[in-house]
Each structure stands twice: as structure tokens, then as C-alpha cells.
Amino acid sequence: MKLQKLLSLVRQAIEKYGMIDEGDRIAVGLSGGKDSLTLLRAMKELSVFYPKHFEVCAVRVDLGFGNVDDMQIRTFCEELHTELSVVHTQIGQIVLEERQEKNPCALCANMRKGALVKEVLRIGCNKIAYAHHKDDFVETMLLSLIFQGQ
């Protein structure tokens, strides 16, 4: 998909649901995957010409596994002239080693979201943009039903 088409679709969704107000400071939850990186790029590009002025920054939660190299993410944010805040946590250790959860996804997701929201508030953002869509929601719901029986 070309950037112009992507920006058009993002702008349509923002306008349809009234997601951006004048003066917003929006944190994009950055996993490092293609969805969140694309959303960050689209939001940053949109901030240049959107009629309501807003700022964009990126927030990434490090789960503490020690196997993630943030260099490409940092470079990407630098190229976009976008502030990147990385929250270092021990969520992986807590969920897998200390609590030894059989189905760790729900607890991990809740802890990750809590760490993200705390950081977003700390850096003065008033909104968070996530790069998830209905397929992600349906997949997560089905995994929860199958593996956790909820």
C-alpha cells in the first residue's frame, strides 16, 4: 500500500471517530513489528498537515527477556525525528519464572499495558495509539477461550 493511500485511510478513521483533538500528545505503542512501525510513520506524517495540531512520540515496553535489540527501532524513530521512550521491566521474569504461569498471555498483557500507561502519563501524553485491528482482537479472544477457558 502506498503511503498516500495509508494516510488517507488513517485520516478517515481519525475523523470518523473523532480521535484527535487540538493539542493532543499521542504516544504510539511500539512493539517493533510492521503494524506499529507503520502506524508511527503514518501518525508522524499526518501530524505535519492535519488541521488539528498534535504531537507524536513512541513508547516501547521491554519485557526483560534480554533478547531484543532496539537499535533498528531507535534508528527508525531518529529518522522520523520522533521521541522514543523505552520502559525496562521484568515482566517476563515475573510471569514465567516467579509465578510460573501456565497461560501467561493475559497476565503479561495486563502488566505490559500497565507499564505502557504509566510511562505515557509520565511523559505527558494524553492518548495512546495501538496498531491492532479486529483480526488481532479475534485471535487474542480465541486463544484466551481455547487455552484459558474464559
Side-chain angles (χ1 to χ4, degrees), residues 18 35 48 50 57 59 62 69 74 81 91 96 103 123 139 145 149:
D35 293 341
V48 173
Y50 196 70
C57 63
V59 178
D62 172 9
D69 180 6
R74 290 182 187 282
H81 304 288
I91 293 172
L96 297 176
N103 300 303
I123 63 174
E139 180 181 342
L145 283 170

Side-chain angles (χ1 to χ4, degrees), residues 11 23 70-71 76:
R11 184 177 179 156
D70 279 346
M71 189 50 67
F76 184 74

Side-chain angles (χ1 to χ4, degrees), residues 38-50:
T38 300
L39 178 62
L40 178 61
R41 171 86 188 266
M43 293 295 291
K44 189 65 177 183
E45 295 282 340
L46 192 63
S47 73
V48 173
F49 64 85
Y50 196 70

Side-chain angles (χ1 to χ4, degrees), residues 61-65 87-94 111-112 115:
V61 176
D62 172 9
L63 299 178
F65 289 115
V87 182
H88 298 283
T89 72
Q90 295 301 314
I91 293 172
Q93 178 184 345
I94 293 167
M111 292 177 75
R112 185 177 64 239

Side-chain angles (χ1 to χ4, degrees), residues 5-92:
K5 177 68 173 172
L6 175 66
L7 290 175
S8 174
L9 293 171
V10 170
R11 184 177 179 156
Q12 286 175 37
I14 288 169
E15 289 176 357
K16 181 177 180 178
Y17 298 104
M19 291 189 261
I20 294 180
D21 296 309
E22 182 71 31
D24 279 344
R25 180 165 159 83
I26 303 170
V28 175
L30 203 60
S31 67
K34 63 183 183 239
D35 293 341
S36 64
L37 293 173
T38 300
L39 178 62
L40 178 61
R41 171 86 188 266
M43 293 295 291
K44 189 65 177 183
E45 295 282 340
L46 192 63
S47 73
V48 173
F49 64 85
Y50 196 70
K52 295 178 182 177
H53 297 91
F54 66 96
E55 293 178 54
V56 177
C57 63
V59 178
R60 178 172 150 27
V61 176
D62 172 9
L63 299 178
F65 289 115
N67 61 350
V68 177
D69 180 6
D70 279 346
M71 189 50 67
Q72 289 181 323
I73 295 170
R74 290 182 187 282
T75 301
F76 184 74
C77 288
E78 287 172 9
E79 289 170 357
L80 292 177
H81 304 288
T82 302
E83 171 189 341
L84 171 64
S85 181
V86 178
V87 182
H88 298 283
T89 72
Q90 295 301 314
I91 293 172

